[in-house]
Amino acid sequence: MKRKQRILKDLKKRHTFAEHESLSLFLKVLALNNMLPMQTQRAAFDALALRSKDACITRIRNRCLISGRGRGIIKEWGISRHNFRRLADEGYLAGVRRASW
């Protein structure tokens, strides 16, 4: 049960970030533009401060799609090293085989 909660929480954070990404970029451009009046820049900074915490990319963590593990993720496959090894040994991952020399 905890696994599902972790995965769903991560998906929710990713969705929130995707929703707010374009607005955040627009506000950052306004806030850092020295050609604009100081009032406009201050309003943009204030709007950035009022955003949701989950609207920031640093809140997103790569998690295993199967187990929800937060460490040892192989980015290409999106799964943890434990699940990668198990699936590769069973032959479920195309193009992956054990090294032998």
Side-chain angles (χ1 to χ4, degrees):
M1 187 65 177
K2 231 176 183 171
R3 254 186 248 169
K4 285 184 182 179
Q5 289 175 346
R6 274 190 248 145
I7 293 171
L8 291 176
K9 191 174 181 181
D10 184 56
L11 288 175
K12 183 181 173 187
K13 286 181 185 181
R14 288 176 187 273
H15 182 69
T16 304
F17 170 73
E19 282 181 353
H20 294 93
E21 183 179 16
S22 60
L23 178 63
S24 297
L25 288 174
F26 177 71
L27 290 173
K28 284 179 187 177
V29 168
L30 287 179
L32 298 175
N33 189 348
N34 294 331
M35 304 292 270
L36 295 174
M38 200 57 142
Q39 294 170 344
T40 308
Q41 289 179 344
R42 177 46 90 191
F45 272 120
D46 292 342
L48 278 171
L50 293 175
R51 290 181 309 157
S52 168
K53 287 191 295 187
D54 289 339
C56 187
I57 194 165
T58 57
R59 302 272 294 181
I60 295 174
R61 181 171 181 94
N62 286 335
R63 291 207 170 269
C64 177
L65 298 174
I66 299 170
S67 64
R69 182 179 165 88
R71 293 183 176 203
I73 305 302
I74 299 173
K75 284 187 179 183
E76 184 179 344
W77 300 92
I79 56 178
S80 68
R81 58 192 173 90
H82 302 292
N83 288 318
F84 180 81
R85 182 170 183 202
R86 182 178 52 84
L87 293 174
D89 285 345
E90 294 172 2
Y92 290 119
L93 300 178
V96 177
R97 48 181 248 221
R98 287 199 137 188
S100 60
W101 58 89

